[in-house]
Amino acid sequence: MPEQSRIKKLLCDPLAICSLASIRSSDIANYRDNRLTKVSPQTVAHEINLISNLFNVARKEWGMENLINPVELIKKT
């Protein structure tokens, strides 16, 4: 299950301890740039898509209607 592997990897990143409301597009861009030095662009795109989905679920299903998805403001790779 590649998605579980991606989630485990994301949970090891300092970004994982931040509240969703505090994460900015610059944080996502820094994550992307750091990961691109370690893994393929396709892997980074999958991870960024997972993060984007998290923001969308939080906004639509968890009652965080005012939450902005910072992934929408950056290039994925």
Side-chain angles (χ1 to χ4, degrees):
M1 297 194 181
E3 199 160 277
Q4 285 181 331
S5 176
R6 287 186 195 106
I7 291 169
K8 284 182 183 180
K9 183 55 83 175
L10 285 167
L11 288 174
C12 294
D13 192 87
L15 198 59
I17 63 170
C18 300
S19 70
L20 290 177
S22 72
I23 297 174
R24 303 289 176 244
S25 59
S26 60
D27 300 319
I28 302 297
N30 287 335
Y31 173 84
R32 174 201 62 208
D33 296 344
N34 183 41
R35 289 295 286 155
L36 283 171
T37 66
K38 299 172 182 159
V39 297
S40 73
Q42 183 177 10
T43 298
V44 174
H46 288 302
E47 292 173 354
I48 297 290
N49 285 335
L50 182 62
I51 294 169
S52 181
N53 189 51
L54 171 65
F55 277 90
N56 290 335
V57 169
R59 191 175 62 232
K60 294 174 183 176
E61 296 186 22
W62 299 345
M64 300 176 77
E65 295 88 4
N66 295 326
L67 187 65
I68 294 172
N69 185 342
V71 175
E72 295 174 353
L73 304 174
I74 66 159
K75 289 181 5 177
K76 292 188 179 173
T77 57

